Amino acid sequence: MSHARRMYDLVEPIGLVPYFADESDDALIALGLRNPWDAYFAGRAAPFGRSVPAEAIHAIFYNFAPGEVARHIPKVWELTTPEAALAARERGCVAGIRRILGELADAPEVTRAGDLLLKAATSAPVEGRALYAALRTLPIPQEPVARLWHAATLLREHRGDGHTVALLAEGIGGTECHVLHALSVDIPANEFGRVGHLPAARLTAVVDGMRDRGLVGPDGWLTPAGQATKERVESMTDRLAEAPYNALSTDELERLVADLEPISAALRAVFPM
């Protein structure tokens, strides 16, 4: 197993805190935002500031259907500011992590893991990685739990930028990537949360296009070619996610893994992963 894949399994639960811990949405909605999707776009797009249009955020986030970003950007910046959104998101995530970890939140493992994870997270080149580069411009928190979450977010978005590159290289579009993933884990496309809400005709057209390309079979499931495409995307994503961990020695990586394991296990136990 590559370092990137091993670390993904440990870092992803921390990076998912804004989306699975209610405290993050609550803190953002308290600013005057209308709903959890406002909170999502305000929190995640805030590093770009208020002047980047919906079309650019749509391109950077990649995997939203046409029009979905524009329902929230720039409206959220009429309700709050990027600076307030960033502060609220961090505050909510720290509260959520502390609730879930309990006494572990103040253990030395959290401080050590945060420092090593940050060393990795701030070492990679930013070229070609718009969201990661934007996050790199933000101040680094000093409080240990906030520092750990910030580092995990940097690494999650670094990997996400690389995942977009891998999808583009395979010709997999933003909605197609959700269909590809859903079918790869035996979930029908129309039952998968990220695309199941789309108009039936739109989702059918996406699946039909993938069928025409030989990725989906007549039975509605991935063909061998579709499975191979999914595997190539994941393999390239892992390769492109290796760079941050090259900054750590073997001993540092082993120490980081040992410290992250109980933290990630506690988060995984309460998140629907």
Side-chain angles (χ1 to χ4, degrees), residues 126-172:
V126 299
E127 288 80 5
R129 299 181 190 259
L131 190 43
Y132 172 68
L135 283 168
R136 283 279 298 272
T137 69
L138 302 181
I140 295 171
Q142 296 305 307
E143 192 276 326
V145 175
R147 195 174 177 87
L148 176 69
W149 174 74
H150 182 74
T153 300
L154 280 166
L155 288 164
R156 186 172 196 268
E157 300 295 15
H158 176 275
R159 183 182 178 90
D161 285 339
H163 188 56
T164 297
V165 171
L167 291 166
L168 284 165
E170 290 291 336
I172 302 298

Side-chain angles (χ1 to χ4, degrees), residues 38-58:
D38 266 5
Y40 175 96
F41 284 104
R44 196 165 175 231
F48 294 105
R50 65 166 64 245
S51 62
V52 175
E55 292 83 357
I57 299 298
H58 173 79

Side-chain angles (χ1 to χ4, degrees), residues 12 42 84 104 106 133 144 162 170 214 227 231 239 266:
E12 182 71 354
L104 180 57
D106 293 309
E170 290 291 336
Q227 291 283 2
E231 290 168 9
R239 290 198 306 275

Side-chain angles (χ1 to χ4, degrees), residues 170-211:
E170 290 291 336
I172 302 298
T175 304
E176 289 178 331
C177 73
H178 292 304
V179 174
L180 187 71
H181 175 70
L183 298 182
S184 75
V185 294
D186 300 324
I187 299 174
N190 63 355
E191 296 179 13
F192 189 60
R194 288 296 299 274
V195 292
H197 67 287
L198 295 177
R202 181 185 296 182
L203 186 55
T204 297
V206 170
V207 175
D208 286 347
M210 295 175 73
R211 185 178 291 109

